[in-house]
Amino acid sequence: MDQNKKIKVLFVCMGNICRSPTADAVFRHIVNTAGMGHMIEVDSAGTHAYHIGNPPDHRAQHTALQRGYKMDELRARAVQSSDFEEFDYILAMDNENLALLRQRSPQHHHGKIQLFMQYGENTPATIEVPDPYFGGQQGFEQVLDMVEEASRGLLVHLRNHKI
């Protein structure tokens, strides 16, 4: 692999205000803590343009901040066609968004579009990160637990296979 080329990871959910910005903030923190920020670029986006330009949901921010993850600088954006070319890993939070991404992408990019939880160390690869938007605080805690687990597993994968 070209040592000067960063690995680019895109996290995707529906509106880009709960799950994918949480994954963005957590994975970015884990990467930077590991001293690998110069090797890995992280971003997030949504399959729907509901919240473009908005910060992450205040409940997601609050939950993340309690564990030391800051995400108030993130702003929602929609997946662009250029993302399929630009990113090496496009990680969907659930099967609905996985299907939408595969519908919108050229066939030759389907291999880089995966469920995020396939990198979870203690979870079946088919598990989805549930959308906490219409639920209570417990849903945001559950999402954060899942995202932390899969983020650790993704970093191990990248160390073992790509970097």
Side-chain angles (χ1 to χ4, degrees):
M1 172 176 176
D2 179 358
Q3 297 292 42
N4 297 322
K5 184 185 179 294
K6 285 186 173 188
I7 296 292
K8 295 184 178 184
V9 178
L10 181 67
F11 296 103
V12 181
C13 68
M14 187 170 289
N16 191 215
I17 61 165
C18 294
R19 297 172 289 173
S20 57
T22 298
D24 183 332
V26 169
F27 190 62
R28 184 184 312 269
H29 177 83
I30 288 172
V31 164
N32 288 334
T33 300
M36 299 173 71
H38 64 288
M39 296 187 224
I40 301 171
E41 185 175 314
V42 182
D43 198 0
S44 61
T47 55
H48 294 71
Y50 298 142
H51 305 284
I52 290 178
N54 291 344
D57 184 284
H58 70 279
R59 298 165 296 175
Q61 287 192 56
H62 174 76
T63 305
L65 200 53
Q66 288 183 315
R67 296 195 198 176
Y69 307 114
K70 193 170 177 293
M71 66 168 121
D72 59 333
E73 76 284 353
L74 300 178
R75 293 296 177 264
R77 73 175 186 86
V79 172
Q80 306 295 313
S81 57
S82 60
D83 290 334
F84 298 112
E85 287 290 330
E86 185 177 339
F87 287 90
D88 302 298
Y89 290 81
I90 301 173
L91 303 174
M93 297 296 138
D94 59 37
N95 285 314
E96 181 181 349
N97 288 295
L98 181 73
L100 286 170
L101 288 165
R102 288 189 174 149
Q103 285 173 358
R104 295 178 186 174
S105 72
Q107 178 78 32
H108 64 278
H109 289 302
H110 284 195
K112 63 173 78 172
I113 303 169
Q114 308 162 344
L115 277 178
F116 179 40
M117 286 311 297
Q118 83 171 42
Y119 295 101
E121 299 156 331
N122 301 309
T123 353
T126 56
I127 294 294
E128 300 174 293
V129 178
D131 189 346
Y133 188 76
F134 294 107
Q137 183 61 35
Q138 183 180 356
F140 289 90
E141 295 286 345
Q142 178 187 16
V143 165
L144 196 50
D145 290 343
M146 294 176 83
V147 163
E148 285 177 331
E149 177 189 336
S151 290
R152 288 188 298 269
L154 177 58
L155 185 60
V156 167
H157 169 81
L158 293 177
R159 279 182 169 151
N160 291 340
H161 296 95
K162 297 289 181 181
I163 298 176

